[in-house]
Amino acid sequence: MKRKGTGKGLMVVGSMRKDGITTYMKQGRLIIRSANSMERRSNTLPQFIQRQKMRHSVALWRMLKYCKPMFTKGSTAYNNFLSLANQLPVVYVEKVLMERTSFLMPGIPVSDGTLPEVKQLLGEVDGVPALITDLKAHDWEPWTKLWLYTAVQTGSDRDALVRFSKREVPWEEVTLVDGHYVLKDEEFADDMKGWALVLVKGERCSPQTIVTRCTLYKQYTTEDALETAADSYGGLTDPRF
């Protein structure tokens, strides 16, 4: 809001809210109305889905940001992450839980950059659980780093939360199998965890997302979950009205 002084007094450009009253100029006239509208907020199915996506993406970012992830393609790391996270499956959660609830699922972005993506999947190597990648021996260079992001699903139902951590992986820890690097550890059998191995060269990194066996989130993607969540927001708005 801007204010301009004139010879006839103060002119308000924009709007001003005070004591439940909104004051603004419209076509040269001073308009005064209640700032507390009793009109129900529109909540059509497409609007509801997008709001659920946004709330979950923000909840994930609140935890991921402490790892200082590299997102280098957007105007900010936050905006870059939100754009990518918008492609995740929609989870429908009641209003009272949405702000603090997050779910581990495949595809959660942990980085975005100009290096080629490192393809990776969970499996077994020599009978040991492993994170299998398509990194080859010639991908290693003296200045190259590997960052391993680990996502952990904690709680369930009413206190579900994803926590993230990051550590640098020494090249001595990876094993070359059939021409590709793999990480072997019993940890990779945990179905309440997920991982992403990010290749970093100076200020550049590979775009990576989480791989996981966790399926807790799926119960919040059903029609029943949608109806329960929508009801907690007062139901959906009929787009015809």
Side-chain angles (χ1 to χ4, degrees), residues 193-236:
K193 291 184 178 181
W195 300 268
L197 194 63
V198 179
L199 186 67
V200 179
K201 296 182 179 182
E203 299 299 317
R204 299 183 299 153
C205 70
S206 59
Q208 302 298 153
T209 61
I210 291 289
V211 292
T212 181
R213 297 185 179 93
C214 188
T215 60
L216 176 66
Y217 75 96
K218 288 186 177 181
Q219 62 185 286
Y220 296 94
T221 62
T222 65
E223 288 294 325
D224 287 343
L226 189 159
E227 291 180 10
T228 299
D231 287 345
S232 73
Y233 284 85
L236 298 177

Side-chain angles (χ1 to χ4, degrees), residues 33-168:
R33 64 175 178 81
S34 170
N36 302 312
S37 174
M38 299 302 292
E39 184 178 348
R40 180 185 172 188
R41 183 187 187 191
S42 177
N43 195 30
T44 63
L45 180 58
Q47 290 172 331
F48 181 67
I49 288 174
Q50 192 55 46
R51 287 166 185 162
Q52 290 284 296
K53 280 188 176 185
M54 177 60 73
R55 291 188 182 97
H56 188 238
S57 296
V58 171
L60 288 171
W61 177 256
R62 285 196 186 110
M63 305 307 295
L64 179 61
K65 68 180 181 180
Y66 294 109
C67 295
K68 297 181 179 179
M70 293 178 71
F71 287 91
T72 63
K73 288 189 175 182
S75 56
T76 66
Y78 175 65
N79 288 340
N80 196 172
F81 171 82
L82 290 183
S83 177
L84 295 170
N86 194 53
Q87 307 303 315
L88 292 172
V90 188
V91 284
Y92 302 107
V93 182
E94 296 172 62
K95 183 177 181 180
V96 69
L97 303 176
M98 192 67 246
E99 297 302 325
R100 63 177 183 272
T101 302
S102 57
F103 296 96
L104 177 57
M105 59 180 65
I108 296 174
V110 298
S111 66
D112 192 25
T114 58
L115 294 180
E117 178 186 2
V118 179
K119 303 294 184 182
Q120 45 202 287
L121 56 85
L122 295 170
E124 284 192 1
V125 175
D126 300 326
V128 180
L131 180 64
I132 304 168
T133 81
D134 68 347
L135 278 173
K136 299 177 182 178
H138 63 72
D139 291 320
W140 183 87
E141 294 171 315
W143 56 86
T144 301
K145 294 182 179 180
L146 292 175
W147 288 351
L148 180 66
Y149 286 81
T150 301
V152 181
Q153 179 73 73
T154 62
S156 61
D157 297 330
R158 305 188 71 83
D159 61 349
L161 184 67
V162 181
R163 298 184 185 277
F164 297 89
S165 61
K166 180 185 75 173
R167 70 178 179 89
E168 185 174 348

